Amino acid sequence: YNEYKSYLSLKLTMSATEKKAFPLKRQEELKWNGWGYIDSKLEADLENDNVLFTGNRYPLAGKNLPHLLKWFRETLGADTSFRTPPQPLNLSKIPKPIRCEPFMEEARKFCKHITEDPEDRLMHGHGHLCEEMYMLRNNLFTRIPDIVVYPSCHDDVVRLVELATRYNVVIIPMGGGTSVSGALLCPENEQRTIVSLDMTEMNKIHWIDYENLTAHIDSGIIGIDLERKLEKEGYDT
């Protein structure tokens, strides 16, 4: 059993090089100011009273929804002519990072991916509450992470927490980023360095116990990626 478990671990670790649900730079495929992928959205054609679902990721993609606007008006009492277009991203409004040089210097010794890019920081500074979407669509940024760090294994996380303790740095872990509890919001008055710990590089299945139907899976794996990997072994969640 142990020999087979090791073989399975190797196979599924190697498959981690496959295309993930989204790249390291999430904003390349995910909306920075809304839900979901950039290419997947509802486009309203008010002149023809029609809605089109764009993209090609989902069964509904490319299909017209001719009754949706009518349903909004008659069932919800919505004014479908009312528009609140999002404001373009204004990088000058993104708060400057509060840096902790000793933490960053030591973290770079073992973490391959560390970024202070303003767009990366913004993508890691919110979840998907309606209030957070409103903030983003109107450039109302207050406090966002100062650094984004991507650990690749358990030991990286242990070392990062030890460094954060030593240098009095705040850590906010992040997975898929779809939190609707406000857990990813940074305290507005926090003056310490805030690190977003992006867990998505920890995305491996280490082993599956076929008898008890349990598995050892990294905490950062995205749901759709987990399903793809398990499907290859004849399983799902």
Side-chain angles (χ1 to χ4, degrees):
Y1 172 76
N2 288 331
E3 290 179 0
Y4 182 72
K5 187 170 71 173
S6 299
Y7 162 73
L8 181 60
S9 172
L10 174 63
K11 183 167 63 168
L12 294 182
T13 298
M14 291 173 63
S15 70
T17 58
E18 299 170 357
K19 179 178 173 62
K20 298 193 298 182
F22 47 78
L24 215 61
K25 284 189 163 298
R26 300 173 183 230
Q27 61 271 25
E28 293 177 357
E29 293 192 16
L30 301 180
K31 298 184 184 79
W32 71 271
N33 62 350
W35 294 280
Y37 290 95
I38 294 171
D39 61 1
S40 302
K41 58 185 176 181
L42 293 168
E43 286 189 345
D45 179 356
L46 297 182
E47 184 176 340
N48 295 300
D49 208 32
N50 184 56
V51 173
L52 171 69
F53 192 87
T54 66
N56 58 10
R57 298 174 185 272
Y58 306 104
L60 200 59
K63 296 188 182 301
N64 290 305
L65 307 171
H67 305 296
L68 185 58
L69 290 176
K70 181 181 178 181
W71 182 82
F72 278 139
R73 290 191 296 267
E74 295 181 356
T75 305
L76 302 180
D79 179 0
T80 54
S81 65
F82 181 73
R83 296 293 187 95
T84 55
Q87 302 300 309
L89 176 59
N90 187 344
L91 292 177
S92 67
K93 289 191 174 183
I94 294 181
K96 300 295 183 185
I98 299 173
R99 308 177 90 249
C100 178
E101 296 292 350
F103 175 91
M104 295 177 62
E105 182 180 348
E106 294 201 40
R108 284 197 172 102
K109 294 177 182 178
F110 58 91
C111 277
K112 292 190 299 182
H113 303 296
I114 298 178
T115 177
E116 296 178 88
D117 179 271
E119 292 187 41
D120 291 332
R121 293 170 52 223
L122 180 61
M123 289 293 289
H124 288 76
H126 64 85
H128 283 74
L129 284 170
C130 288
E131 293 90 333
E132 292 168 309
M133 296 299 103
Y134 178 85
M135 176 192 75
L136 292 166
R137 289 168 64 87
N138 291 279
N139 281 301
L140 301 176
F141 320 123
T142 50
R143 186 74 168 92
I144 62 173
D146 304 296
I147 316 166
V148 182
V149 181
Y150 303 81
S152 60
C153 63
H154 173 84
D155 289 344
D156 284 356
V157 175
V158 171
R159 295 174 71 179
L160 287 167
V161 171
E162 289 173 346
L163 289 177
T165 302
R166 184 185 312 163
Y167 296 113
N168 196 24
V169 166
V170 178
I171 286 180
I172 300 178
M174 182 174 183
T178 56
S179 168
V180 289
S181 65
L184 294 174
L185 289 173
C186 299
E188 292 185 21
N189 298 321
E190 180 57 71
Q191 293 303 306
R192 295 174 294 176
T193 297
I194 299 177
V195 174
S196 175
L197 203 65
D198 187 312
M199 304 296 291
T200 56
E201 287 296 279
M202 293 177 59
N203 59 5
K204 301 174 180 62
I205 299 176
H206 295 277
W207 50 259
I208 297 173
D209 182 333
Y210 291 101
E211 183 176 350
N212 295 300
L213 296 180
T214 56
H216 178 187
I217 303 168
D218 280 346
S219 60
I221 196 166
I222 303 301
I224 190 172
D225 293 331
L226 174 60
E227 295 296 345
R228 287 172 182 160
K229 291 176 183 290
L230 289 175
E231 185 178 19
K232 294 179 179 179
E233 302 301 317
Y235 292 90
D236 60 36
T237 56

